[in-house]
């Protein structure tokens, strides 16, 4: 496949076929002193051999850095170990880090690269649907801290991102479903036509290149206009305020749930708030609710869980001046940002969610 030109805040995004020709050419033209590859225990088995084969074919060597799969690796302790490994192997400021994995790896690897020696270049090769359409795009890098999702982070754009759709063939159904939640979000905040297409798609088509490209286009258009999230980019946070709070709650209880599943629940609660606060129609809400319920589980929440979720929500990065700020829907395909929401309405949205379980 030919490279695709997306206007994404200086981030080049290229689609790869089985020849890896774009990637091989890119590496050969790059003036790097050394190459490091960050993988987790899953991508080490399923994806790393292909990448090493390509590097070998162009006479390039690389040091492999491995972390355990899962959100628990987005941690300062893991970062410290990776910085120690880079130091041990004498990585200088001209070294290159290749992040080969899903959203966790690109979040973690981008953060590690951005901090090491005040910043070295990195490349993202996302291997999950979530990584391809969201996490690896747009230059957000970060890790969790004290159980708060992405509490520490920076804006740093990858040198390039290579999309290799064939990696999705080995993706477990749960991971595919998790990633699809971000496509739902893209449609709800920006494109009613895309929403209809997603509603009519089958699971077999969720990894279709047309869906990947459409979601990337929506995100890159938004990021290009607002790379540092001062305004319009906040639309990409729809479902993430309460979704992250829910995800952090279960992570702290050592009962982690997939990111996209948490965001799906967050979108239900924040769509409910949208009805009350911005006049999203009840019909649109029911349409959103029905589609999400048909593909994602809902989680039973105790009173204590609700309190913990509210506590987590107070640490959300979008809050300002003591107000809880949200991205909400005016309609399907139209969203508004920086909407201050009263705590009682937030509690009401969680109570409504609990009634659904």
């Amino acid at each position: 496949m030919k490279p695709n030109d997306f206007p994404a805040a200086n981030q080049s995004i290229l689609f790869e076929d089985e020849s890896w020709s774009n990637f091989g050419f890119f590496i050969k033209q790059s003036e790097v002193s050394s190459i490091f590859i960050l993988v987790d225990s899953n991508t080490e088995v399923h994806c790393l051999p292909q990448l090493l084969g390509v590097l070998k074919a162009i006479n390039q060597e690389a040091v492999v850095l491995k972390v355990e799969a899962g959100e628990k690796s987005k941690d300062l302790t893991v970062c410290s170990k990776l910085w120690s490994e880079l130091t041990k192997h004498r990585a200088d400021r001209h070294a290159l880090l290749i992040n080969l994995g899903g959203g966790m790896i690109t979040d973690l690897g981008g953060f590690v690269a951005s901090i090491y020696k005040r910043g070295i270049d990195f490349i993202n090769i996302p291997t999950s649907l979530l990584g391809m359409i969201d996490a690896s795009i747009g230059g957000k890098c970060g890790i969790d801290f004290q159980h708060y999702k992405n509490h520490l982070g920076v804006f740093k754009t990858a040198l390039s991102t290579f999309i290799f759709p064939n990696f999705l063939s080995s993706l477990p159904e749960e991971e595919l479903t998790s990633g699809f939640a971000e496509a739902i979000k893209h449609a709800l905040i920006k494109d009613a036509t895309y929403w209809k297409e997603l509603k009519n798609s089958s699971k077999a088509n969720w990894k279709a290149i047309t869906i990947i490209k459409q979601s990337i286009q929506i995100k890159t258009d938004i990021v290009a206009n607002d790379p540092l999230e001062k305004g319009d980019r906040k639309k990409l946070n729809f479902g993430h305020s309460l979704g992250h709070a829910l995800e952090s709650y279960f992570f702290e209880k050592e009962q982690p749930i997939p990111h996209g599943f948490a965001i799906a629940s967050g979108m239900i609660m924040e769509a409910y708030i949208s009805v009350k606060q911005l006049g999203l129609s009840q019909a649109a809400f029911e349409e959103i609710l029905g589609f999400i319920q048909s593909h994602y589980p809902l989680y039973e929440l105790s009173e204590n869980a609700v309190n913990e979720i509210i506590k987590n929500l107070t640490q959300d990065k979008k809050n300002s001046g003591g107000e809880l700020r949200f991205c909400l829907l005016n309609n399907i395909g139209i969203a508004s940002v920086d909407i201050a929401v009263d705590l009682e309405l937030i509690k009401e949205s969680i109570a409504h969610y609990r009634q659904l379980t």
Side-chain angles (χ1 to χ4, degrees), residues 4-199:
N4 290 267
D5 184 21
F6 291 104
N10 300 320
Q11 182 176 5
S12 62
I13 302 169
L14 300 98
F15 278 76
E16 275 290 13
D17 58 21
E18 293 185 12
S19 72
W20 289 64
S21 56
N22 291 322
F23 175 79
F25 178 78
F26 187 93
I27 294 297
K28 283 193 290 186
Q29 297 301 309
S30 301
E31 297 181 0
V32 298
S33 56
S34 55
I35 298 175
F36 295 82
I37 305 172
L38 179 63
V39 298
D40 64 22
S41 45
N42 289 329
T43 53
E44 178 188 26
V45 175
H46 299 292
C47 308
L48 179 61
Q50 292 184 57
L51 177 54
L52 290 176
V54 174
L55 291 175
K56 182 178 180 181
I58 58 175
N59 298 314
Q60 292 282 352
E61 296 182 351
V63 176
V64 177
L65 308 175
K66 185 178 78 171
V67 299
E68 288 301 311
E71 190 73 11
K72 61 183 177 294
S73 287
K74 284 176 58 174
D75 181 83
L76 268 178
T77 302
V78 175
C79 289
S80 180
K81 290 178 181 178
L82 293 172
W83 288 321
S84 294
E85 282 295 304
L86 290 170
T87 303
K88 171 185 173 183
H89 290 283
R90 299 182 183 277
D92 59 26
R93 296 187 70 179
H94 301 286
L96 174 69
L97 179 63
I98 301 174
N99 300 317
L100 180 66
M104 182 277 287
I105 285 291
T106 57
D107 280 355
L108 171 66
F111 182 77
V112 166
S114 300
I115 301 302
Y116 183 77
K117 292 188 182 293
R118 296 198 178 96
I120 62 173
D121 284 332
F122 63 95
I123 288 173
N124 288 333
I125 305 180
T127 60
S128 69
L129 183 61
L130 176 66
M132 291 179 189
I133 69 174
D134 196 75
S136 70
I137 309 297
K140 275 188 177 180
C141 311
I143 60 171
D144 305 335
F145 184 68
Q146 294 183 354
H147 303 296
Y148 296 118
K149 181 83 173 180
N150 298 329
H151 204 59
L152 306 178
V154 297
F155 287 97
K156 178 68 174 178
T157 304
L159 195 60
S160 189
T161 295
F162 293 89
I163 308 295
F164 191 25
N166 285 356
F167 279 139
L168 298 181
S169 61
S170 62
L171 202 66
E173 183 175 319
E174 181 180 78
E175 286 299 315
L176 187 66
T177 303
S178 180
F180 188 69
E182 296 291 354
I184 293 173
K185 176 197 72 178
H186 293 148
L188 288 175
I189 64 170
K190 199 68 175 178
D191 193 333
T193 300
Y194 185 35
W195 165 254
K196 292 177 182 177
E197 292 172 0
L198 294 182
K199 280 184 61 185

Side-chain angles (χ1 to χ4, degrees), residues 283-300:
F285 173 72
E286 295 294 341
E287 187 177 336
I288 295 167
L289 174 61
F291 185 60
I292 291 177
Q293 278 188 300
S294 68
H295 293 295
Y296 296 89
L298 303 183
Y299 300 94
E300 293 187 5

Side-chain angles (χ1 to χ4, degrees), residues 229 234 237 240-241 316-320 323 325 338:
E229 201 173 278
K234 295 177 184 180
N237 293 317
H240 284 60
S241 294
D316 189 84
K317 294 182 290 298
K318 295 177 291 302
N319 297 336
S320 178
E323 293 182 325
R325 302 287 185 95
D338 278 334

